[in-house]
Amino acid sequence: MTQVLLIGLDGATFYLLERYFEDGLMPTLAELVARGARSELRSTPHPFTPPAWTTLSTGVGPGVHGIFDFVRVLPGLERPQYTMATSHDVRAETVWSIASRSGCRVTCLNFPVTFPPRPIDGYLVPGFVPPRHLRRSVHPLDLYDRLRALPGFSAEELLLNLDLERESLQTLPDERYEDWIRLHIRREAQWASIAEMLLEEESCELTAVIFDGVDKLQHLCWRFLDPCVDPRAPAGFAERIEALCREYFAAVDGHIAALIQAAGEDTDVVVCSDHGFGPTDEIFYPNVVLERAGFLGWADGAAIDANGRHTAHGHRNPTVLFDWDRTVACALTSGSNGVYLTVPGAADSVGRESRGYLALREEVAEALLSYVDPSSGEPVVREVLRREDAFPGEHSFLAPDLTLVLRDHGFPSILRAKSPLTRRDQTMGTHAPDGILIGSGPAFQRAHPERVEIAQVAPLVLHLLGVAIPIDLEGRLPAELLDPAWLDAHPPEFGAPSDVPATYFERAATSLGRRGEELVLDRLRALGYVE
Amino acid sequence: VGTTRQVLDEAAAEAEVIELLGQVIAWELDLQEPVGADTLLIADLGFQSLDVVMLMVAIRGRYQRDDLPFDEILIEGGEYVTDLSVHDLARFIERHGCARVMP
């Protein structure tokens, strides 16, 4: 029997949703809020999909679970390299695993960094894998045949099309907006259909599904959704796009209603997002600042961005952008907002950071913080997070050395540009720290606490399932959301520490090797950090 | 229960790459010849760039190694290579001392 239905709305914000509650567009979600608990959900220090959903599903911060990006940067090499982050890089136990070994069956759909599937008692379809690899990515493997049998099933539409996603976030022409939104309406219908099928046929105690089109639409269409923003669009176009977006949100609300019906009325329903959303009107190019400050050299032929892009075209590793003999610090990926240093000590896992490293890191941070918008004189970088402060834990050494918080919470571009700051032609959407948390069902009371931390969702879900909460989870149970009488009848139990999964990460990888150390020492000498 | 690790020579690595490709490729292929050392991922097996990424993930998992610098075979002279052969991958696996984990 389904006890908990966890619905993720990637990037959802009350700023927009409350308008849709008021005008009747999302009656199901509005009813859940009216009957139950509602709070803003504070994301991870950098509000980004992979670390945030992983914190939500593990109850620990990125410095413990080790996920900071869609990619995993290999530390300690002569020059940074990265590979796709996978479930094997998650160094903390997930609620899917804790619930499974506590006797609950689990359905987990479309969560990032869940490929390849870890052992669970239940069903898993990972998010963010290429369609051609779906067949071998689901758990159990014969689930694929059940998916294919669903009406309208299309792996190509269900899963990641990286080319299309990158284009949509950067340069999608107006004439393709409508197709993009309709694609997400169809995608969510497919995820809902899979979830409904598994709810009806398997009735796992925990069913969790993410609808990630919310994030995709808000990135592209924020100017049509936020009434405070001028959409700067041809006559009629803004109205058509807004109407289609509303159709999307109404469809998601309908899916939530259908899932609740399939789960049963006594199910506790938790609706949450990994981060919030807001507008962005500019693009910041940190690598241009780093070049001007002498920390970075561009590779021959590194093109100057003239199109407001955040990353290079295609899937290529951006390390080819830089001349590594002249580079000691660079922003390597857009999503992580991270700056990586390539110096000895930068990858040391036990805090043995060299004085040269710490001094260089402070200079890099200062260079970025001191950049000001020429038109206003205001700093563009609001804060620079040191990894040990922002991401405490035994895996903080896997985080970028520095993480940038921009004044609009936007993502930087890693590309070369004529100027460190450009205005966008149009307002886009970008992530913001506060997402949503809604809880409704037998366990919840009507409550509106101001804020709950994203790491608190895992203990909440476990307690709703009647599973003992491992004592090593960082998030505390958000008891303020729960009905006192229910809580009296169901006092939380705390159990043994979580079962940290085995990984194949080898600490030896942090060694630079002799040639690498000589190279970086040469760079440090040139900069005057060592003699 | 202990495990042992058997370091692969180039011939064993080639056989492993061919076996791994059989697991990773989940799309239709119309091959005139069986996969061998000279088989190219993109030209012969229809790999797309994300398929290469997924193969790298499979290699990491197979050898329980998270420190493999794949850029060594993906980048040449500052530019991305246009294709990779089974032999290229086998040499990379052998060169980095990848070992089969035996129960």
Side-chain angles (χ1 to χ4, degrees):
Chain A
M1 176 189 140
T2 304
Q3 291 173 251
V4 179
L5 177 60
L6 176 65
I7 296 172
L9 303 179
D10 197 302
T13 167
F14 283 123
Y15 177 74
L16 291 184
L17 292 186
E18 280 178 348
R19 296 168 207 279
Y20 301 152
F21 299 163
E22 284 169 17
D23 66 14
L25 187 71
M26 302 188 81
T28 308
L29 214 46
E31 179 67 16
L32 292 180
V33 171
R35 284 204 320 245
R38 165 221 190 274
S39 171
E40 300 214 314
L41 189 65
R42 174 55 59 94
S43 187
T44 42
H46 174 50
F48 187 36
T49 295
W53 281 121
T54 308
T55 287
L56 186 138
S57 65
T58 60
V60 295
V64 176
H65 63 59
I67 298 296
F68 300 91
D69 201 340
F70 283 111
V71 298
R72 175 185 180 283
V73 176
L74 276 62
L77 298 173
E78 279 179 31
R79 64 183 208 181
Q81 296 190 27
Y82 62 57
T83 60
M84 188 174 95
T86 74
S87 61
H88 289 289
D89 295 310
V90 179
R91 294 166 172 83
E93 190 175 18
T94 60
V95 290
W96 331 122
S97 167
I98 298 167
S100 288
R101 64 180 173 79
S102 303
C104 297
R105 295 169 74 230
V106 173
T107 291
C108 171
L109 304 175
N110 200 25
F111 278 71
V113 210
T114 54
F115 169 84
R118 290 276 192 173
I120 60 165
D121 183 6
Y123 302 87
L124 189 145
V125 182
F128 302 90
V129 296
R132 297 217 288 187
H133 296 266
L134 179 63
R135 178 192 294 272
R136 66 185 187 90
S137 303
V138 299
H139 173 81
L141 287 174
D142 61 9
L143 175 59
Y144 183 74
D145 292 331
R146 295 169 70 181
L147 302 185
R148 283 186 65 194
L150 289 168
F153 176 77
S154 161
E156 286 69 29
E157 290 199 343
L158 181 72
L159 288 165
L160 174 76
N161 181 329
L162 199 56
D163 292 325
L164 193 55
E165 299 221 359
R166 279 172 188 246
E167 187 184 17
S168 75
L169 295 178
Q170 303 189 104
T171 56
L172 196 72
D174 282 358
E175 63 269 22
R176 292 178 54 193
Y177 271 53
E178 292 181 44
D179 285 345
W180 174 246
I181 300 165
R182 289 199 176 95
L183 168 67
H184 284 92
I185 293 174
R186 294 195 299 274
R187 283 189 74 213
E188 309 305 33
Q190 284 207 64
W191 284 113
S193 157
I194 295 168
E196 268 187 81
M197 180 267 286
L198 290 169
L199 276 167
E200 286 165 0
E201 297 179 12
E202 302 298 338
S203 201
C204 293
E205 280 82 359
L206 170 61
T207 292
V209 59
I210 291 177
F211 295 111
D212 62 292
V214 181
D215 176 276
K216 308 287 167 39
L217 260 63
Q218 290 177 165
H219 270 297
L220 189 68
C221 303
W222 187 266
R223 62 191 165 120
F224 306 110
L225 300 173
D226 183 345
C228 298
V229 171
D230 176 359
R232 295 189 209 166
F237 183 66
E239 291 76 12
R240 282 206 312 278
I241 297 303
E242 188 194 3
L244 256 183
C245 288
R246 286 174 62 85
E247 189 179 324
Y248 168 87
F249 280 100
V252 167
D253 193 74
H255 297 322
I256 294 171
L259 293 178
I260 293 171
Q261 188 175 9
E265 282 189 2
D266 290 336
T267 302
D268 283 309
V269 181
V270 177
V271 183
C272 53
S273 64
D274 53 338
H275 51 75
F277 243 82
T280 173
D281 296 302
E282 62 192 22
I283 303 177
F284 178 57
Y285 296 83
N287 287 332
V288 177
V289 175
L290 294 175
E291 183 207 19
R292 290 180 179 183
F295 299 117
L296 179 150
W298 296 104
D300 288 343
I304 291 177
D305 176 47
N307 302 309
R309 298 184 72 94
H310 286 240
T311 59
H313 184 68
H315 317 301
R316 292 179 166 186
N317 190 323
T319 55
V320 294
L321 290 171
F322 310 115
D323 174 352
W324 290 99
D325 289 333
R326 296 187 294 130
T327 298
V328 291
C330 65
L332 201 58
T333 70
S334 175
S336 74
N337 284 36
V339 172
Y340 288 87
L341 272 57
T342 56
V343 294
D348 194 322
S349 60
V350 290
R352 293 185 307 225
E353 287 153 330
S354 70
R355 289 170 63 188
Y357 165 72
L358 291 173
L360 175 62
R361 193 175 69 169
E362 290 313 299
E363 288 206 17
V364 170
E366 185 53 36
L368 292 161
L369 282 166
S370 61
Y371 176 75
V372 295
D373 180 346
S375 66
S376 67
E378 291 175 5
V380 174
V381 180
R382 179 184 294 184
E383 200 177 353
V384 176
L385 309 176
R386 279 74 172 167
R387 60 185 178 185
E388 66 274 19
D389 299 330
F391 308 112
E394 66 173 308
H395 299 113
S396 71
F397 73 101
L398 292 171
D401 298 273
L402 298 167
T403 298
L404 309 183
V405 181
L406 304 185
R407 60 180 174 181
D408 63 359
H409 291 287
F411 297 106
S413 170
I414 64 165
L415 301 178
R416 189 178 192 176
K418 286 181 179 168
S419 161
L421 188 69
T422 61
R423 302 281 159 211
R424 294 178 184 277
D425 295 336
Q426 296 147 341
T427 299
M428 302 283 282
T430 194
H431 297 186
D434 287 328
I436 67 161
L437 177 62
I438 299 166
S440 184
F444 289 93
Q445 66 171 338
R446 289 191 65 189
H448 290 177
E450 186 179 346
R451 184 169 293 131
V452 170
E453 299 287 330
I454 195 165
Q456 294 181 257
V457 176
L460 173 66
V461 168
L462 291 172
H463 186 49
L464 294 174
L465 287 168
V467 170
I469 300 167
I471 54 170
D472 56 338
L473 297 199
E474 292 181 337
R476 66 164 181 82
L477 177 71
E480 64 273 29
L481 305 177
L482 300 174
D483 177 62
W486 185 89
L487 206 49
D488 280 346
H490 303 84
E493 288 181 39
F494 296 90
S498 54
D499 188 5
V500 177
T503 68
Y504 41 78
F505 183 79
E506 295 180 1
R507 287 283 168 84
T510 61
S511 167
L512 279 167
R514 193 171 166 190
R515 183 165 165 252
E517 289 190 359
E518 284 172 359
L519 269 173
V520 290
L521 281 169
D522 283 346
R523 290 179 211 153
L524 287 171
R525 281 189 198 102
L527 290 162
Y529 288 102
V530 295
E531 295 184 354
Chain B
V1 179
T3 58
T4 58
R5 297 170 71 85
Q6 181 185 347
V7 177
L8 301 170
D9 60 23
E10 206 170 298
E14 265 181 24
E16 293 252 327
V17 170
I18 292 169
E19 190 186 328
L20 264 175
L21 287 168
Q23 294 167 13
V24 169
I25 295 170
W27 53 91
E28 294 294 321
L29 278 175
D30 183 20
L31 288 178
Q32 305 301 312
E33 295 175 14
V35 176
D38 296 331
T39 302
L40 295 168
L41 299 189
I42 294 170
D44 298 329
L45 301 180
F47 267 59
Q48 299 168 356
S49 54
L50 278 177
D51 301 325
V52 177
V53 174
M54 298 300 274
L55 178 62
M56 304 303 162
V57 168
I59 291 172
R60 286 170 61 198
R62 174 80 154 213
Y63 302 113
Q64 300 185 13
R65 289 280 298 275
D66 225 357
D67 60 339
L68 295 172
F70 287 107
D71 281 5
E72 275 182 28
I73 50 171
L74 296 174
I75 299 176
E76 206 171 272
E79 292 291 325
Y80 269 79
V81 297
T82 53
D83 213 333
L84 275 177
S85 69
V86 167
H87 182 66
D88 294 333
L89 282 164
R91 281 192 58 193
F92 174 82
I93 287 169
E94 183 267 338
R95 189 164 67 241
H96 285 280
C98 291
R100 188 185 292 137
V101 180
M102 316 281 282

